[in-house]
């Protein structure tokens, strides 16, 4: 479509797209969090011990982690509209079918199926952010769409607690599975892979999106060199750091309800509300952190590297509060410290999800995001199992929380010293690529 034929004035369709990205992640986390909220009832009904329940909780991450990179490759090749749309539909059906589980084996199988679908969400969103937003807004949109994970978990916990009190856990899975079907219908009729293709994007908004040439260069194929990509120190730092963050983050959607009920002696309804507080607090904090980091970078006071590292370290220092929660005498103080800890992981996450767009070749952002998320979600694979094993051996959550805090300390060192200058990874001769881009710009 020619820009002269576009609607006049300044549209804001990119924020509608951000809303769809946010909703996809919110539904993603509602569907994966249902199990943790229902875990005490499922554990009692099927007579599962702590280690078996940990395996069930981690089963989702087996397929979720392994399929991150393939999902990113598919999104880059076939477009985020197809990949994300199909992913949401798939995991919604898998969620509904979890209500048919009859024991340990079927629970594991259905959780693996859920992970297959949900693997497409974050890599697709990272690619969408690069195509639909200029660099100076990417941490903001990363904070927005990732905050959907906290709202999804926060909504799920009290909602599922209420549904569990009113109905059975099987019907709960069926009802939550329907949310993604509705989202899928809206997605099909209101999203395009590129803002250039969208009829409601004005010429002014399109020019703004492409102001740093990111959207234009996304269309220019640059063949990624896998060996150089996998060996790059920044990619290693992104993967290692996010692994530590995710190990901590997934405590809040796997073992937190059980921790509050068994260690802090809360009822099911009390647990539902208390477990939602860390997630609710982190929503506001993450969006603000993304916005604030974009403002700091745009001001020119700090480089992109310094901005990313500053917000990563501040967030991780906050996240270390999970260790102090282990020794809190009051349940309220423990929940407050957990709110700070969870908020800290989201401050870091607002930068983590901006990094793929900062360092990846423009047509390989979903791939790099998928690679980062593959390693990070190994934290989701081993985290619930390790926590369950520690609790099973010691009879307490205190050592498990202290171990989580130790991993946060490693993450801080990783981002300070292993993460280098935040800039696009160059493949081949950088000067040659620059000349190619300049010639393309002149011919556009």
């Amino acid at each position: 479509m020619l820009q002269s034929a576009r609607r006049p004035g300044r549209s804001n369709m990119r924020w509608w797209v951000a809303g769809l990205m946010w909703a996809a992640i919110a539904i993603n986390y509602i569907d994966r969090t249902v199990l943790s909220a229902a875990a005490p009832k499922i554990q009692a009904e099927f007579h599962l011990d702590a280690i078996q329940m940990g395996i069930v909780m981690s089963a989702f991450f087996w397929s979720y982690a392994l399929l991150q990179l393939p999902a990113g490759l598919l999104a880059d090749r076939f477009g985020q509209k197809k990949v994300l749309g199909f992913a949401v539909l798939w995991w919604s059906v898998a969620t509904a079918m979890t209500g048919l589980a009859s024991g340990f084996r079927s629970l594991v199988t259905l959780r693996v199926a859920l992970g297959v679908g949900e693997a497409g969400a974050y890599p697709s969103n990272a690619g969408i952010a690069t195509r639909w937003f200029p660099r100076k807004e990417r941490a903001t949109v990363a904070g927005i769409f990732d905050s959907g994970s906290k709202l999804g978990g926060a909504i799920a916990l009290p909602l599922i607690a209420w549904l569990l009190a009113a109905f059975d856990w099987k019907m709960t899975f069926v009802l939550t599975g329907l949310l993604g079907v509705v989202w899928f219908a809206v997605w099909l009729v209101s999203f395009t892979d590129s803002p250039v293709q969208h009829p409601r994007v004005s010429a002014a908004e399109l020019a703004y999106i492409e102001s740093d040439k990111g959207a234009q260069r996304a269309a220019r194929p640059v063949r990624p060199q896998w060996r150089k990509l996998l060996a790059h120190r920044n990619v290693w730092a992104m993967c290692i750091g996010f692994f530590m963050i995710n190990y901590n983050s997934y405590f809040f959607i796997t073992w937190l309800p059980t921790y509050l009920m068994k260690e802090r002696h809360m009822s099911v309804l009390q647990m539902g509300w208390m477990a939602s507080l860390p997630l609710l607090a982190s929503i506001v904090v993450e969006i603000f952190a993304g916005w604030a980091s974009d403002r700091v970078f745009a001001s020119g006071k700090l480089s992109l590297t310094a901005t990313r590292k500053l917000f990563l370290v501040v967030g991780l220092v906050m996240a270390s509060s999970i260790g102090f929660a282990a020794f809190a005498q009051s349940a309220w103080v423990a929940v407050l410290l957990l709110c700070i800890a969870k908020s800290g992981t989201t401050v870091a996450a607002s930068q983590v999800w901006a990094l793929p767009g900062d360092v990846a070749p423009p047509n390989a952002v979903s791939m790099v995001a998928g690679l980062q998320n593959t390693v990070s979600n190994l934290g989701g694979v081993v985290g619930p199992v390790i926590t369950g094993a520690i609790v099973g051996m010691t009879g307490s959550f205190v050592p498990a929380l202290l171990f989580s805090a130790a991993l946060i300390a490693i993450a801080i060192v990783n981002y300070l010293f292993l993460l280098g200058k935040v800039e696009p990874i160059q493949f081949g001769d950088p000067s040659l690529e620059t000349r190619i881009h300049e010639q393309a710009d002149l011919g556009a």
Side-chain angles (χ1 to χ4, degrees):
M1 177 183 294
L2 295 175
Q3 291 196 20
S4 59
R6 291 183 176 274
R7 57 184 298 182
R10 181 70 173 269
S11 61
N12 287 291
M13 278 304 300
R14 68 190 185 284
W15 297 114
W16 167 257
V17 170
L20 290 173
M21 296 161 68
W22 172 88
I25 299 301
I27 295 170
N28 181 298
Y29 269 73
I30 289 173
D31 288 350
R32 75 170 73 173
T33 305
V34 175
L35 179 69
S36 63
K41 287 185 174 290
I42 293 174
Q43 191 172 0
E45 181 171 333
F46 295 134
H47 308 290
L48 305 177
D49 60 32
I51 294 177
Q52 285 179 310
M53 199 64 225
I55 292 172
V56 171
M57 289 178 174
S58 75
F60 160 84
F61 297 101
W62 303 347
S63 54
Y64 183 74
L66 289 175
L67 293 177
Q68 289 292 311
L69 183 54
L73 289 167
L74 290 172
D76 284 328
R77 179 165 184 178
F78 298 106
Q80 285 80 16
K81 180 171 184 174
K82 291 178 181 178
V83 172
L84 182 56
F86 177 77
V88 175
L89 186 61
W90 175 284
W91 88 57
S92 299
V93 172
T95 298
M97 290 183 65
T98 304
L100 302 176
S102 58
F104 175 72
R105 290 183 179 179
S106 57
L107 280 170
V108 170
T109 300
L110 288 164
R111 292 295 288 182
V112 170
L114 178 68
V116 171
E118 293 206 358
Y122 273 97
S124 294
N125 270 2
I128 293 168
T130 302
R131 290 177 178 269
W132 275 83
F133 293 85
R135 187 180 299 276
K136 54 181 169 286
E137 290 182 345
R138 287 181 195 162
T140 300
V141 74
I144 290 173
F145 77 70
D146 190 52
S147 73
S149 65
K150 289 74 187 176
L151 184 63
I155 289 175
L157 290 168
L159 175 62
I160 301 311
W162 177 81
L163 289 174
L164 289 171
F167 305 101
D168 64 7
W169 63 268
K170 296 182 178 181
M171 180 57 67
T172 298
F173 279 97
V174 173
L175 294 175
T176 54
L178 295 176
L179 293 173
V181 177
V182 175
W183 181 94
F184 175 72
V186 176
W187 179 253
L188 285 182
V189 300
S190 61
F191 177 76
T192 60
D193 280 318
S194 170
V196 175
Q197 301 168 335
H198 204 291
R200 298 189 63 186
V201 174
S202 68
E205 184 179 17
L206 182 61
Y208 179 74
I209 292 170
E210 297 184 343
S211 59
D212 61 0
K213 302 296 182 184
Q216 290 178 347
R217 291 185 181 179
R220 296 174 185 142
V222 177
R223 184 181 298 276
Q225 296 180 7
W226 281 87
R227 184 172 59 183
K228 190 170 183 178
L229 178 65
L230 294 175
H232 199 281
R233 62 178 289 183
N234 280 356
V235 173
W236 276 91
M238 289 161 61
C239 291
I240 292 171
F242 203 14
F243 172 92
M244 309 299 179
I245 294 169
N246 263 4
Y247 183 99
N248 280 264
S249 292
Y250 284 119
F251 171 80
F252 292 87
I253 63 169
T254 55
W255 280 108
L256 179 59
T258 303
Y259 166 77
L260 294 176
M261 294 176 67
K262 292 189 174 181
E263 193 97 347
R264 297 298 177 175
H265 311 294
M266 295 184 181
S267 68
V268 173
L269 290 177
Q270 285 177 321
M271 173 277 293
W273 289 108
M274 291 299 101
S276 70
L277 289 179
L279 300 172
L280 288 171
S282 65
I283 295 169
V284 177
V285 173
E286 181 168 17
I287 295 174
F288 175 77
W291 173 86
S293 67
D294 280 339
R295 300 287 73 74
V296 169
F297 173 58
S299 72
K301 295 179 180 178
L302 293 178
S303 67
L304 184 61
T305 301
T307 301
R308 294 282 182 258
K309 289 193 174 190
L310 172 64
F311 281 81
L312 283 166
V313 172
V314 168
L316 291 171
V317 169
M318 294 170 60
S320 67
S321 298
I322 193 170
F324 295 105
F327 299 106
Q329 298 298 311
S330 164
W332 283 98
V333 173
V335 171
L336 175 61
L337 289 168
L338 290 173
C339 286
I340 296 172
K342 182 58 181 172
S343 295
T345 65
T346 62
V347 171
S350 70
Q351 308 306 299
V352 163
W353 284 111
L355 282 172
D358 294 332
V359 306
N363 67 324
V365 174
S366 289
M367 181 188 70
V368 172
L371 176 62
Q372 174 185 243
N373 218 22
T374 295
V375 177
S376 73
N377 276 283
L378 294 177
V381 173
V382 303
V385 176
I386 292 176
T387 299
I390 293 174
V391 173
M393 289 186 295
T394 65
S396 171
F397 276 89
V398 171
L401 297 182
L402 291 177
F403 183 72
S404 295
L407 293 183
I408 289 295
I410 295 173
I412 292 174
V413 174
N414 168 78
Y415 282 122
L416 280 176
F417 300 107
L418 183 57
L419 183 68
K421 184 177 182 180
V422 177
E423 61 183 357
I425 298 172
Q426 297 291 339
F427 295 104
D429 182 358
S431 63
L432 176 60
E433 290 187 5
T434 300
R435 291 196 300 272
I436 293 173
H437 287 162
E438 289 174 348
Q439 290 172 3
D441 286 336
L442 292 173

